[in-house]
Structures are given as C-alpha cells and as structure tokens.
Amino acid sequence: MSAVTAAEAGFLSCHACGLVHRAPGAGHDLRCARCGAALHLRKPNSIARSWALLIAAYVLIVPANVLPVMAVTSLGQTEADTIMSGVIYFLTHGSWPLAVIIFTASVFVPMMKLAILTFLLISVHRRSSWRPVDRTRLYRLTEAIGRWSMVDIYVVTITVALVRLGNLATIEAGWGAVFFAAVVVITILAAESFDPRLIWDHCDARST
Ligand SMILES: [Zn+2]
C-alpha cells in the first residue's frame, strides 16, 4: 500500500471550504474556485510567523509572572499577588486543590505549550525525520490543552466577583493578568500559524 500526498499528486485543497484543486506551477496568486479564499499548499510563512509569535509569548510571560495578577485591599492594607505568590498563598492556607489548579493552568500548561511548539519548530527547521507520528500527536496535544490555560483568568474574575459581593475587601485585577491573557492568546495564534504538515514533508521525501 502506498499513500501519496496531495502535494505530490499535484493537488491542493481550500483551507476554508475543503474543495480540492489541481495545482498549477508555483508563483500563482490562487483563489478557490468555489469560495474565493486564497489557496496555498502550506500555510504561507508558517515557520517565521510561528517563531515571531512564540518569541513574543516568551517575552510577555516575564511580566505575566512578575507583575501582580490581583491586588486585595482589606482594612486599609493592600496586598498584591503574582501567580506564584497566589499559588503559595493557597498552599499555605490549606486550599491545595486550588493551588494545584492555578499552578497547572497558569504555570505548567503555558510553559508546556511554549516548550512543545519550540521543539516542533526546531525539528521542522532541522528537517528532522524523527518520529513524525509522535510529533503530530504533540501538536494535537497543544491544541487540546490550550483551552485550559484560560482557567486562571476565570479564577481571578470569580474571586473578584465573590469578594465584591462580600464587601469585605476591594480587589482588583492587576497588570499581570493582562499580560497573562496576552501570552495565552499569542500562544494560541502561534500554534495556529504552525502547519503540522511541515512535519511530514521531510519524512515523505526520505521514504520515496
Ligand atoms: Zn474554498
């Protein structure tokens, strides 16, 4: 049994509606015959775009962790918490399940996602043919876990709402939360820009 990729057979499909077209020579500005979307064999500038977004995420993750995520004012005293100091607070005050949720959602998952995308980009850059199935699985994993990293923003929002209701203290979301949300969104865009078919291009070339 031999499988042929669409690119090898001279076909390309529309990203928007899926209609398959016969590919003419390179260098054409192609449009889908059915829906008018731009056609390309691989996402254009996939690697450069993913790198740019990934580097932006690495830069923004610093203020996201250093700046306070929220500030609580109670009895005239203001206490600002970063992500890690929040985790430590919940750990020392016996709410370890909350500490685990916040650590997983705001430290572990975003870091894992950045690490996986960096690894995939380097492997494609080096034209690696190492375990393409596993690398494709890793890519699917980043898409699957990505949606859970926004949990942290919900935790901040719910805490703010609860404390406001109780009137015991004033609580405000800090700049750290803004940077954190930016990291999450930019990482999602970086994963979106990466074309997982690039993983297979070098492997297919070797096997034929
Ligand atoms: Zn189309």
Side-chain angles (χ1 to χ4, degrees), residues 11-198:
F11 290 105
L12 76 172
S13 69
C14 172
H15 291 296
C17 74
L19 182 67
V20 176
H21 299 69
R22 195 173 288 279
H28 289 268
D29 188 17
L30 297 170
R31 295 264 154 204
C32 173
R34 186 160 63 182
C35 73
L39 292 175
H40 23 72
L41 280 172
R42 298 290 178 262
K43 290 178 187 171
N45 303 322
S46 166
I47 297 176
R49 265 189 216 183
S50 302
W51 269 127
L53 290 163
L54 210 56
I55 290 164
Y58 275 118
V59 171
L60 292 173
I61 208 165
V62 176
N65 281 282
V66 172
L67 294 176
V69 176
M70 56 184 188
V72 184
T73 310
S74 146
L75 302 169
Q77 274 193 317
T78 303
E79 208 174 303
D81 267 307
T82 62
I83 292 172
M84 272 322 279
S85 75
V87 170
I88 292 162
Y89 174 86
F90 286 120
L91 259 186
T92 51
H93 285 71
S95 324
W96 65 266
L98 208 51
V100 170
I101 289 172
I102 295 176
F103 181 80
T104 310
S106 7
V107 182
F108 185 70
V109 166
M111 291 289 191
M112 272 294 286
K113 218 178 155 181
L114 286 179
I116 291 174
L117 282 173
T118 307
F119 167 71
L120 289 177
L121 276 170
I122 291 172
S123 79
V124 168
H125 225 81
R126 299 180 63 182
R127 301 172 180 278
S128 162
S129 57
W130 180 81
R131 295 166 75 172
V133 176
D134 289 331
R135 281 189 287 146
T136 311
R137 281 201 188 116
L138 271 179
Y139 178 73
R140 290 215 305 266
L141 184 70
T142 64
E143 290 194 313
I145 62 176
R147 62 190 67 136
W148 295 102
S149 47
M150 267 313 223
V151 166
D152 192 67
I153 296 300
Y154 296 132
V155 171
V156 173
T157 319
I158 291 165
T159 317
V160 170
L162 285 177
V163 175
R164 283 258 163 89
L165 279 176
N167 263 337
L168 292 169
T170 53
I171 182 162
E172 268 161 9
W175 277 103
V178 177
F179 282 107
F180 182 78
V183 170
V184 171
V185 172
I186 289 172
T187 313
I188 289 171
L189 293 176
E192 188 93 332
S193 309
F194 182 75
D195 194 332
R197 290 174 297 187
L198 292 170

